[in-house]
Amino acid sequence: MVGVGPFGLENALARVSIVNFVGDVVLDEFVLPQETVVDWRTAVSGVRKEDMVHAKSFREIQNIVSDLLKDRFLVGHALQSDLSALLLSHPWQHLRDTQSFHPLRQIAGSRRPALRKLVNKVFGIQIQQGEHNSIIDARAPMALYRLYRKQWEGGSKLREPIEGEAAVTIPINK
């Protein structure tokens, strides 16, 4: 997210990255903010003014993402923030949010664990040290989901993932 509005305190979408079940990039696009950007938050977001040269409009990205998510599970971290930034909704039964999955909360020792903390605790890898990389931020929750998939789905008969099953992650200044 980048900062818009007075003093750059409001958030605006600036990049969307989607990966499939195995972590291959399905979509990685910069999004032209609808308002004037006051603070690029590059130190955290990784987004720069020059990234906007070939950015797509918010409406175009919103439509692309909406089409990609139809009839698919959505895997990610703090998904309500991502969906809110895109002005989209998704059926709750199809959401797999690593921030709210109880076993991951227990591992992190937190009710709202940060993605970087979960990845470090589970995989021993450091992410989000300085500028965020939205592709890594999309791959990380998918990797967590793959690791805990059977437990997550409650031991019920699992169907094979749909090709392009997606996680959406939007760099957010946390």
Side-chain angles (χ1 to χ4, degrees):
M1 297 280 191
V2 293
V4 297
F7 308 106
L9 298 177
E10 296 175 35
N11 294 325
L13 182 65
R15 186 176 180 183
V16 173
S17 298
I18 298 178
V19 300
N20 66 15
F21 184 78
V22 296
D24 294 333
V25 175
V26 174
L27 177 73
D28 184 33
E29 293 286 347
F30 288 98
V31 182
L32 195 59
Q34 296 177 304
E35 298 177 54
T36 302
V37 176
V38 177
D39 183 358
W40 290 97
R41 302 176 183 164
T42 303
V44 176
S45 72
V47 176
R48 294 166 172 73
K49 184 176 183 176
E50 52 269 22
D51 294 328
M52 296 298 124
V53 172
H54 300 291
K56 294 186 176 173
S57 73
F58 176 85
R59 182 71 59 208
E60 184 178 0
I61 293 297
Q62 184 186 47
N63 289 333
I64 291 168
V65 171
S66 179
D67 289 344
L68 281 170
L69 297 181
K70 272 190 178 66
D71 301 319
R72 295 210 168 101
F73 285 100
L74 175 57
V75 178
H77 189 81
L79 286 171
Q80 283 312 122
S81 286
D82 297 344
L83 290 168
S84 177
L86 283 159
L87 301 177
L88 293 174
S89 62
H90 200 68
W92 68 267
Q93 317 86 301
H94 294 126
L95 295 177
R96 302 297 184 266
D97 193 329
T98 56
Q99 188 177 56
S100 60
F101 185 51
H102 185 71
L104 291 175
R105 286 178 169 184
Q106 287 181 314
I107 289 168
S110 172
R111 291 188 61 211
R112 294 178 43 128
L115 181 60
R116 70 182 162 273
K117 184 174 185 177
L118 285 174
V119 169
N120 185 266
K121 290 254 187 198
V122 174
F123 299 115
I125 298 170
Q126 300 255 341
I127 65 168
Q128 299 178 339
Q129 302 296 305
E131 287 185 24
H132 290 208
N133 178 315
S134 63
I135 295 170
I136 291 171
D137 289 352
R139 286 177 173 154
M142 188 61 81
L144 288 164
Y145 175 72
R146 285 193 314 264
L147 186 63
Y148 288 91
R149 183 176 177 208
K150 287 183 182 175
Q151 187 176 355
W152 205 311
E153 304 305 336
S156 62
K157 186 174 183 200
L158 300 173
R159 65 179 183 82
E160 288 303 308
I162 298 169
E163 186 178 333
E165 201 157 7
V168 176
T169 301
I170 302 158
I172 296 175
N173 184 13
K174 294 186 180 182

